[in-house]
Amino acid sequence: MKFLLLPALFLSLPAVAQEASAPTWALRAGDTPYDAETLASLPGQSFVFYDDGEAIFGSDGAYSYTYSPANGGGTAWGSYHIATDGSVCVSFVSGATRCDLYVKNRNRTILITEDGQRFPVRQSG
């Protein structure tokens, strides 16, 4: 099942390289990337995905992704920044890095990975 593949598991190139290469995001009809105002409101928010994993954006640039109990539990820690293309790039303490694009489509937030996988957010807070 696609939703068992957690957003924090998709590893990619270092954030610096990603920003320089400016990925082409796999947008669909109706996708509207987060604008500067919405991106500025990320600190303090959490996104719960349909597999019950939760991404939390700290006010100090800290990031965590907590896996659901069904997916083994545990938390991946890191820090995030907003790239020039509006994507959200995370550097994990494990050394892994990744960038994702958050979009709105029909009042739903969706995380899009660089390889085009889509993970709708069940709720945010």
Side-chain angles (χ1 to χ4, degrees), residues 13-38:
L13 301 172
V16 173
Q18 290 175 333
E19 287 183 53
S21 67
T24 302
W25 297 99
L27 298 177
R28 294 183 184 171
D31 284 349
T32 303
Y34 272 21
D35 59 20
E37 182 180 339
T38 306

Side-chain angles (χ1 to χ4, degrees), residues 21-101:
S21 67
T24 302
W25 297 99
L27 298 177
R28 294 183 184 171
D31 284 349
T32 303
Y34 272 21
D35 59 20
E37 182 180 339
T38 306
L39 289 167
S41 71
L42 275 180
Q45 287 197 45
S46 69
F47 294 137
V48 177
F49 295 89
Y50 279 88
D51 66 355
D52 290 326
E54 181 178 20
I56 298 175
F57 296 90
S59 59
D60 57 356
Y63 175 87
S64 66
Y65 185 86
T66 301
Y67 298 89
S68 70
N71 288 311
T75 300
W77 302 96
S79 60
Y80 73 95
H81 73 278
I82 308 303
T84 56
D85 68 352
S87 60
V88 178
C89 297
V90 178
S91 296
F92 292 96
V93 296
S94 67
T97 59
R98 57 176 286 138
C99 292
D100 301 307
L101 188 69

